[in-house]
Amino acid sequence: MKVGIIGLGFRLGYLGFVFDQMDPDFEIVGYVDPAPAGLPVLEEKGISAGKSYETPQDLIANEEMDLLMIGSPNHLHLEHIRIGLEAGLKVFSEKPIVMTIDQSYELAELLHQHGHERLLVGLVLRYSPLYKDLRKAQLEGLLGDVVSIEASEHIQPYHGAFFMRDWRRYENYAGSFMLEKCCHDLDLYNGVVGARPRFVASFGGRKSFTPQNAPANEGVNDLEVYHRKPSGWLGADKVFDSDGDIVDYQTAIVEYENGVSMTFHTNINVPDEFRRFCVIGAKGMAEGDFVRGFLDVHNARNNEKVIANTYQAPSKTSHHYGADEQMAEDVVKHVRDGAALPVSALDALEAGILALTMDEARKTRKVIDLEPVWQRYDAALNGTAADQRLKSA
């Protein structure tokens, strides 16, 4: 499979290695990136990144490819997706695929024009063995109707410090932390619920990565942990006095259109991290943790544990609990043979809209009703948005 890359950062550098492992015919024909942080990752593995091009248009005009992969900073995703779709290419974009509600409408209109099946998304956790087993248990009726969900994504201080130092610390480049980091998780639980979110409330802020909590204020000079993960574009050394505008903790409450409720919590200063969920249904309960690698399912009638699975990534260097390897294999099969994928661009848009609404609720301290958003989104996706704009003009 031949691919071109726009935005050869750390993420696509790693994915280039994973795809190369999964497909003996994988080839990167060229890339666009003025400062390709992921290039050394490929070179270390003996993988060529092809020719460097100045612009996406130059890359597309001069190379034949089966897939255009986008790993540029989030604020550029929509334009790069547009360029690929309008060139007639199949496009893979890292998450989040857009970074505002208005961009969600705009991309929905593009997908109406070009077909949403032309856009693949890097919501990699849908490919994880744990999530697949959760959905299998649900489909087998072990949970019954889903009633409520408690979920979280927590990351260690070294990773949280990376967000405070990287370009992702700025909402105008990355979107909010909830969008940039947690859209993975929100997508998973949207899938479990099987309905769109309707009402959202949220609270959060920054209380850990603040000047008064800097280790130097306690006489501690060893700051190695906070610089362990390298930052890329617009990287900085400041952690506790970061000039970024992202939060370091947030809690949200969601009610879905079918009445299911969910609480979701994120914190980026958790020493013993976990990424867990508890899905409670009328007939059973599923509890799992991607970091600690388990899935337990209990029967509500007799408390019997009917599933007790444990999970381990393929290697110590594997990202996302082995899901990257499965995603690469499935994407190659999809491009070659049209095999179905477990997540779509529409799933990504709905997860992004939920994340963005969580931040609107946090900033306004209001419960947000998503019904008007879904109405505009559906109009854009179905091609009726332009007609509505003409009528209101």
Side-chain angles (χ1 to χ4, degrees), residues 39-54:
L39 187 58
V41 177
L42 295 175
E43 291 176 339
E44 181 183 333
K45 303 293 184 181
I47 300 170
S48 171
K51 184 178 178 181
S52 172
Y53 288 93
E54 290 291 323

Side-chain angles (χ1 to χ4, degrees), residues 28-143:
I28 302 172
V29 297
Y31 68 91
V32 179
D33 195 320
L39 187 58
V41 177
L42 295 175
E43 291 176 339
E44 181 183 333
K45 303 293 184 181
I47 300 170
S48 171
K51 184 178 178 181
S52 172
Y53 288 93
E54 290 291 323
T55 69
Q57 291 85 350
D58 290 340
L59 170 64
I60 292 169
N62 288 279
E63 300 289 353
E64 295 289 330
M65 64 192 77
D66 302 301
L67 185 67
L68 177 66
M69 300 185 73
I70 296 172
S72 50
N74 302 346
H75 71 292
L76 300 174
H77 283 185
L78 177 60
E79 184 58 25
H80 290 159
I81 290 169
R82 184 197 311 279
I83 291 170
L85 292 177
E86 291 180 348
L89 296 171
K90 188 175 283 287
V91 178
F92 172 98
S93 175
E94 260 304 318
K95 56 77 192 170
I97 52 177
V98 292
M99 53 178 281
T100 68
I101 297 290
D102 285 339
Q103 284 190 355
S104 301
Y105 302 145
E106 194 172 346
L107 181 54
E109 290 189 353
L110 275 174
L111 296 180
H112 170 74
Q113 297 170 28
H114 299 284
H116 68 81
E117 70 283 350
R118 292 256 310 279
L119 178 59
L120 317 182
V121 297
L123 287 172
V124 67
L125 290 187
R126 287 259 190 161
Y127 296 85
S128 65
L130 193 162
Y131 185 70
K132 287 183 175 181
D133 288 345
L134 169 63
R135 297 290 282 136
K136 182 173 182 288
Q138 183 182 9
L139 291 172
E140 290 175 351
L142 298 182
L143 306 182

